[in-house]
Amino acid sequence: MKKHYFSQLDETIFFHTLDNGLKVYMLPKQSNKTFATFTTQYGSIDNTFKPLNQEKVVTVPDGIAHFLEHKMFEKPDGTDVFHDFGEQGASANAFTSFNRTAYLFSSTSNVDKNLNTLIDFVQTPAWTDESVEKEKGIIGQEIRMYDDNPDWRLFFGLIENMYHHHPIKIDIAGTVESISHITKDLLLDCYHTFYHPSNMILFVTGPIDPEHIIHLIEENQKKKDYSNKKAIEHVFPDEPRQVAKSESILHMAVQTPKCLIGFKEPKPYRSGKELMKHEIAVNLLLELMFGRGTEQYKTLIDEGLIDESFSFEYTEEYGFGFSAIGGNTEQPKQLKQRLKEMVINFKNGTIDTKSFDNARRKRMGSILRSLNSLDYIANQFTRYKFNQMDLFELIPELEKLTTDDLKQTLHEHFSEEGFTSCTILKK
Amino acid sequence: MTYIQEKVTSTGGLTSHLVQTDKFKTNTLLLQFRAPLEEATVTKRALLSYVLKSATAKSPTSQELQSRLDYLYGATLSSALSKKGEQHIITFVMTIANERFLSNEQELLKQALSLLGELVFDPLIDEHAFDSKTVDKEKRALKARIQSIYDDKMRYASQRLIDEMCENEPFHLHTYGYEKDLDNVTPTDLFEYYMKMINEDAVDLFMIGQIDEEKILPELEHIFPFTKRVEKLGGIQNQDTIIPDQERVIKESQPIEQGKLNLGFRTNVRLGDPLYYASQVFNGLFGAFPHSKLFMNVREKNSLAYYCSSSYESFKGFIIVMSGIEFSNYEKARTIIIEQLSEIQNGAFSEHDMSLTKALLKNSILESLDNPFSIADILYQQVASKVQFTIEEFIDGIENVTTEEIIEVANQTKLDTTYFLQGAVKTN
C-alpha cells in the first residue's frame, strides 16, 4: 500500500491496486460517517462495444447502463439490497452519468459489513426476465419525471444540438421506447464487459484505518474469480468539430422562458495535467466573462435579461466537452444575442490581472468549500482518477496558471463553429 | 463524547452559537432573523432579504460587493427564506475559507463577520428609505424567484398542497411572499419595516468551524450592535389540534407529462410532544426510506412510480406524501398509499422493520453532523421550537419507541387533503 500526503490541504490518500486490477483509494477523515463509492468506468456513452468473449461489435439500447444500475440492487433471493444496508444502519444509493456508474453507501456504524455488502452486491448480478420487465414501469416514470423538468430538457437540448453522432447526445435514462428493448441477457453482456474489477475504483473515506480496510477488501476479492480480464473494445463514431445544429426551441408548461448557449470543445481528448489545466482555464474564463462580479453580469441584470438563476459550467470527459451558459429569461432571443456579443468582445479585449487574480481566489475558495463534503470528495476523486488526474492537486495547479494560459484556451474553445443555443418557451 | 460542542452567548439582542470543529475546510456563518409568519409582512421580509444582501453603503452595487467577496477567496454570501411552523425566518449565510489551507492569509473570518454586520447595519439608504434603484432591481429578482416555482412541478405541487390544506392557518403563507403585494412596497415602507426587524426580531448567529473564540467573541457586540429585546415568539406549543372533518381532493391540469400526486396528513404530533420520536419512526416505516411501505408497494411491487416518499413536518405535525405517476394511475396509486397507512394502524409491520427504521434514523442524524448547515439547523430548530434535546437524547428517544406508540401515531394520522396535478384534460 502506498500513501501520498497533500500538505496544503492536510490530507493523506492511501492507495493500492489489487491483483485483479481493482484500484482502492482511502482517505481517513475525522467525520462521523464513512462514505464509500464503488464505481465502474461505464456510462450512457458506452453503447457500442464488443461484449466479453463475443466476436461482433454490438450497439445496445439507449439507457441500458442506467437500467443496469437499477437492477444491480436486486439479490438472488428476489429481495433488494437496500434492506441489508438498512439493517446495518447504512443508506445506499447509486447514479449513472455519461461515463460512470457509481454505487455508494454512507453509515456511522457496521462499516466492515457495509463495505462487504457494497462490493458483493455490485459483484452479484441476479436479475430475472420478470424483474427486468417490472423495472420498465419504474424507469418509465423516472423518464417522465425528467420530461417535465425544464432545466434538464434545456441542458440535453443543448447537447443534442452540439453532437452529430457521439452517444453523449443520448439521454442517460433512454426513452420509454428504447428501454422496452432491454432484456436480461443484454444486461448481462454489459455487466460482464464493464464490471470487471480492473475497470473499477473503490473509494472509502471516513474515520477508517486503511490497513484494516485494504485487508478486508483483499479477503473479499480473494474469494472471487476474476481471471477473465480482457481489454474493453469500444467503438466511438467520428465527431466533427462543428455543432450539428446551431439552435433549437422546445415548448413546455413554464411561466418563464429559458435560454442556454454553449460552445462545443473542438479537441476533447486530453487527460492528466493537460486536462486539469484546460478545465481550470475554461472555468476561469467563464468566471471572467460572466461571473457575478463582472461588468457583463451587471449589464445583463440591468437590461432585465437574466435573473439569479443565471449560471455557467464546463463539462469535459474523454471524447466530448462543452460549456453551457444561461438560465431563466423573459427575452431569450435578446439574451442569446447579448451573450454571443459579450464573448466576442471579451475575445477582442485583454485580461486584466486584478480580475484574473480575483477569479482565481474565488475558485480556490470554492474548491475548499466543496472539499467539506465526503460525498463530493469520493465522487470527484474517482472522476479525476478515471481521467488520470488528482483532485487534491487542483489548488496548486490553479496557483500556477497565468493569463497567457487563458488566451489560447479562449480562442480555441469559444469558437463560432462550436456555438449553439437551446430555448424553452411557454407551451 | 458529546456530538456538538456548542457555546451560547448573548450580547444585547444577539444570541450567538459557536460550534468549534476542525472537520471543515471553510468556516460557516448564519445570521438568522425570526418573526411571526404574517400576511402583512411576508412579502416585505422576503424583499428585505434580497435588498440587504445586494448592496451596502460602502459597496453600493452588487458588483462591488461581489468583488469584495471574490477577493476574500471566494467567500459566499446569500440569503434564504424559510419557515419553522408559523415563524418566518430570514437567513444570511456566509462561508469563508479557513485560512489554514491558504498561503499567507490572515483573519478571513473576522473580515467575513464584519461584512455580515455591514450588510445588516450599514445598508445603502437615502434619507429614510432604501436606495430605490436597488429596491427595483431586487423586486425583479424576487418576482422571478416567485414565478420560477411554477416551472418546477414537484415544488409547485408541494406548495399547492399546503396552500389548500392550510388555507386557514398562517402556515400556508409563502416564504418568498406574493407577486401581487410586491409592487406596492415602497423604498420607504421597506425601510420602516427594516427598522422594526432590526429592533424586534429574534436574532441568532451561528459560527461553525475553527474559530478563535477569544478573538472573535469580544468583537461581536461591536459588529452586531442589536439592542436588547423581549422575545415575543411562543415556540412550538399552544397550537390548536386540527382534525380534518372531511377529506378534500384538489385536481389541477397543466400540459405536463407526469402526474404529481401529493397527500397531506395531520398527526398533530409535534417536536417536544411525548409521541414525537414515535412519529419519526412511524414516518420511517411509512415512507422515508427505500425499505418503507410506500417505496416497497407503490414502486417496487406495483411499478407505479419512480419516487413515492413521505416526510414529517415536525413543527406542524404533518406527514406529507409525494409521488410522480402516470395520470391514469391516480385512483390506484392513491388507494395503495392510503392502504399503507392502514397497514401500520393494524400493526402490520415487524420488529425487524422497526429496528431497521431506527438504525437509519440514528444514522441520518449522526451523518448530518458532518455538514455545517445541518448542524446549524439542528440547533436552530431547538431555538425556534424552544424544545431542547441533545443528539444523545434524540438517539435514545428513537431507540425507546414501542410498537404501541407507533400504532397510536398511525391512528392519529388523518388524511386532510389530496392534491393531484394532472395533464391536459380531454373533453369528449
Side-chain angles (χ1 to χ4, degrees), chain A residues 158-177:
Chain A
L158 187 77
I159 297 172
E160 274 177 37
N161 287 352
M162 284 181 183
Y163 288 87
H164 296 258
H165 313 296
H166 194 282
I168 187 182
K169 61 187 296 183
I170 298 167
D171 201 313
I172 292 170
T175 64
V176 171
E177 201 280 324

Side-chain angles (χ1 to χ4, degrees), chain B residues 127-145:
Chain B
E127 294 286 314
H128 294 292
F130 280 101
D131 172 58
S132 64
K133 250 182 96 185
T134 306
V135 172
D136 285 343
K137 180 169 84 94
E138 296 308 319
K139 275 185 181 177
R140 285 204 304 272
L142 178 55
K143 206 170 187 170
R145 174 65 216 260

Side-chain angles (χ1 to χ4, degrees), chain B residues 110 160 168 175 180 220 231 334 365 367 369:
Chain B
K110 208 189 134 194
R160 290 287 300 121
N168 302 316
T175 54
K180 64 174 173 48
L220 294 181
E231 190 178 330
R334 184 171 181 273
I365 193 152
E367 279 192 9
L369 304 179

Side-chain angles (χ1 to χ4, degrees), chain A residues 89-100:
Chain A
S91 59
N93 215 333
F95 65 84
T96 306
S97 71
F98 296 123
N99 58 359
R100 299 197 305 282

Side-chain angles (χ1 to χ4, degrees), chain A residues 11 32-33 87 89-90 106-108 134 141-142 148 253-256 298 307-308 361-362 365 369 372, chain B residues 25-26 50 70-71 73-74 76 95 144 151 153 257-258 301 303 306 326 352 360 363 366-367 370:
Chain A
E11 300 285 7
N32 283 319
K33 74 172 175 188
E87 272 172 34
S106 63
S107 75
T108 49
K134 221 170 183 183
Q141 286 310 312
E142 187 176 1
D148 279 334
V254 295
Q255 208 164 26
T256 314
K298 180 175 170 358
D307 61 27
E308 60 185 359
R361 281 169 169 250
K362 184 175 183 180
R369 190 161 28 254
N372 283 344
Chain B
K25 298 259 184 296
T26 57
Y50 273 69
D70 293 353
Y71 183 76
Y73 286 89
T76 61
T95 63
D151 299 344
K153 303 305 170 194
E257 302 292 325
Q258 183 184 54
K301 207 164 151 195
S303 303
Y306 168 65
E326 212 56 51
H352 175 82
L360 284 174
N363 186 56
L366 289 177
E367 279 192 9
D370 290 334

Side-chain angles (χ1 to χ4, degrees), chain B residues 193-357:
Chain B
Y193 185 75
Y194 157 78
M195 292 305 292
K196 190 173 152 67
M197 175 182 119
I198 292 292
N199 290 314
E200 296 178 17
D201 266 32
V203 191
D204 290 87
L205 172 70
F206 290 86
M207 297 176 283
I208 297 162
Q210 266 189 323
I211 289 151
D212 186 343
E213 287 183 35
E214 282 172 22
K215 243 193 195 155
I216 294 297
L217 289 181
E219 297 283 343
L220 294 181
E221 59 180 320
H222 308 298
I223 300 175
F224 301 103
F226 289 103
T227 52
K228 251 199 160 17
R229 62 207 61 195
V230 182
E231 190 178 330
K232 296 172 211 145
L233 290 154
I236 200 170
Q237 300 307 324
N238 311 322
Q239 287 188 59
D240 294 335
T241 294
I242 300 178
I243 296 167
D245 44 6
Q246 67 183 72
E247 292 173 11
R248 295 209 306 150
V249 176
I250 309 288
K251 291 185 183 179
E252 219 178 300
S253 293
Q254 285 183 14
I256 50 171
E257 302 292 325
Q258 183 184 54
K260 312 289 176 205
L261 173 61
N262 289 14
L263 280 75
F265 296 85
R266 290 183 191 268
T267 65
N268 287 299
V269 180
R270 303 183 186 95
L271 189 63
D273 286 348
L275 286 174
Y276 168 71
Y277 293 111
S279 293
Q280 289 280 5
V281 180
F282 162 73
N283 180 50
L285 284 169
F286 185 49
F289 301 112
H291 73 269
S292 306
K293 288 193 179 290
L294 291 179
F295 190 92
M296 288 309 291
N297 290 285
V298 179
R299 174 175 151 144
E300 294 298 304
K301 207 164 151 195
N302 289 286
S303 303
L304 294 176
Y306 168 65
Y307 72 93
C308 182
S309 64
S310 68
S311 56
Y312 176 36
E313 171 26 272
S314 65
F315 272 71
K316 289 293 292 176
F318 298 162
I319 300 281
I320 305 292
V321 173
M322 292 173 68
S323 66
I325 57 168
E326 212 56 51
F327 305 127
S328 57
N329 286 330
Y330 167 78
E331 284 300 340
K332 194 173 174 192
R334 184 171 181 273
T335 307
I336 295 172
I337 291 168
I338 294 167
E339 270 169 18
Q340 302 320 304
L341 172 62
S342 322
E343 291 275 297
I344 301 178
Q345 288 168 341
N346 296 332
F349 54 91
S350 62
E351 216 26 75
H352 175 82
D353 293 337
M354 226 165 83
S355 69
L356 210 130
T357 304

